[in-house]
Amino acid sequence: YSFFSHHIGFRNMYYLCSNLVKPLTMQVALSYAELVGPSSVQWFVSHFWGMPFEHFIRCLKGHVPVQMTSYWICTFSNNQWKVSEELGHGNVEDSSFYLALRGGCQGTLFVLDEEVLPLTRSWCLFELFQTELLSREVEQNCETRQTRETHQSAFQLLLGTSSGVMNYGESSMDLALKISKKLATLRLQDAQASCPEDKVMINEAVSKHPGGFQAVNAFLFEAVKLALQQTELRFRTDVAQLQEDLASACPPATEPVLLGRLNSGHQTDQTEGKD
């Protein structure tokens, strides 16, 4: 395992789908989730299929490291034998992505790497767009502050990295800065899709809504700004704690007692008397 782990870990979703998901589901022609037993979705996961699967798993563990959590992951949740149907036959509101996002999940977890590759893909753009719409709808539908806080905590945009969730200040400072710098120059309208028709369909859907790409960009940048603030706060807190621990472990040294100088005057007199 130790010899092959590096190579296996760098396999991506394209490999997993072709060599694991489809062979396992071939006889029943169902999704992998349907084959093993589906459950209610708690979090929608947005990711890039070209990302190493090992990195993908580390990001999920960084989100919820202990408790059991149910994720909607297109590779496993979509029926790979009926891809056209899952994509809505050209209508995004009939796609499984749209239905899953609006099916009552808690929020969207974006699985990011240093190159923020998911946000260069059209379907990830669509997922971000729907997350922005849902957040706006929740805000508008809230009548009291208490209700608003409840709904906001139930639907979020989380930026997941291999070292933790940026929104919680769990990502390393270096990684958070690299990701933020990339996002600062990202144009979501430049996102690409394997199928050109998908890109056209998604771009049209975004453009038709109030604010269009500008609103989605602003939503993303606000989330990144807040995540950076949390990362900075966590970093400052950790540094302060380290300084405190070091101060406790190493008490200040006391002034040394020089025994040779206690009777220095007497010794000088004796020396002078011998001369």
Side-chain angles (χ1 to χ4, degrees):
Y1 172 79
S2 59
F3 179 81
F4 288 104
S5 61
H6 177 76
H7 304 284
I8 296 171
F10 274 82
R11 300 289 192 185
N12 57 33
M13 285 294 188
Y14 292 107
Y15 178 89
L16 261 69
C17 184
S18 299
N19 294 276
L20 292 175
V21 175
K22 294 194 75 171
L24 287 172
T25 59
M26 180 170 56
Q27 291 186 348
V28 290
L30 297 172
S31 69
Y32 179 79
E34 291 172 311
L35 178 66
V36 299
S39 59
S40 298
V41 174
Q42 294 174 277
W43 288 91
F44 183 98
V45 177
S46 185
H47 64 104
F48 170 48
W49 274 41
M51 183 179 293
F53 188 66
E54 183 181 30
H55 175 82
F56 177 81
I57 293 300
R58 285 203 306 269
C59 290
L60 293 190
K61 288 183 176 180
H63 174 225
V64 182
V66 179
Q67 71 184 71
M68 190 67 108
T69 304
S70 174
Y71 295 101
W72 192 93
I73 302 168
C74 61
T75 314
F76 308 110
S77 299
N78 279 342
N79 188 335
Q80 300 300 333
W81 302 100
K82 299 180 180 179
V83 175
S84 179
E85 181 179 322
E86 297 285 12
L87 297 182
H89 295 295
N91 183 359
V92 289
E93 293 189 0
D94 290 332
S95 69
S96 59
F97 301 88
Y98 180 90
L99 298 174
L101 274 164
R102 292 182 169 270
C105 61
Q106 295 179 26
T108 302
L109 174 66
F110 266 85
V111 175
L112 297 175
D113 57 4
E114 292 184 6
E115 301 299 320
V116 294
L117 290 176
L119 290 171
T120 65
R121 310 303 300 170
S122 290
W123 276 105
C124 291
L125 161 62
F126 174 75
E127 293 153 7
L128 176 64
F129 165 57
Q130 288 300 320
T131 302
E132 189 269 336
L133 286 181
L134 283 165
S135 297
R136 190 192 307 174
E137 290 169 12
V138 165
E139 184 72 23
Q140 292 172 348
N141 292 333
C142 293
E143 297 179 355
T144 65
R145 181 176 178 81
Q146 181 179 359
T147 305
R148 182 183 297 111
E149 289 176 352
T150 300
H151 280 277
Q152 284 182 335
S153 64
F155 198 93
Q156 308 169 59
L157 169 63
L158 298 183
L159 307 175
T161 72
S162 57
S163 56
V165 177
M166 284 179 61
N167 310 61
Y168 302 157
E170 295 172 347
S171 173
S172 70
M173 180 60 78
D174 287 345
L175 182 58
L177 288 174
K178 288 179 181 178
I179 290 175
S180 299
K181 287 178 180 178
K182 282 285 184 180
L183 290 173
T185 59
L186 188 71
R187 281 170 41 92
L188 295 175
Q189 46 267 60
D190 294 336
Q192 300 297 315
S194 301
C195 177
E197 290 80 7
D198 288 350
K199 174 178 171 59
V200 173
M201 175 180 65
I202 291 167
N203 283 5
E204 288 179 352
V206 175
S207 299
K208 287 178 181 177
H209 279 269
F213 281 99
Q214 185 176 357
V216 181
N217 275 306
F219 176 70
L220 174 62
F221 293 159
E222 180 65 18
V224 172
K225 184 178 74 173
L226 294 175
L228 264 181
Q229 289 174 355
Q230 290 299 316
T231 303
E232 181 185 10
L233 178 61
R234 179 70 175 267
F235 178 76
R236 290 181 182 276
T237 302
D238 288 347
V239 169
Q241 184 62 53
L242 283 172
Q243 291 175 335
E244 184 178 329
D245 292 343
L246 287 171
S248 300
C250 302
T254 58
E255 185 70 23
V257 178
L258 302 178
L259 297 177
R261 294 184 180 179
L262 289 177
N263 298 316
S264 57
H266 179 67
Q267 291 175 350
T268 303
D269 292 342
Q270 289 178 342
T271 303
E272 292 175 351
K274 289 179 181 179
D275 293 336

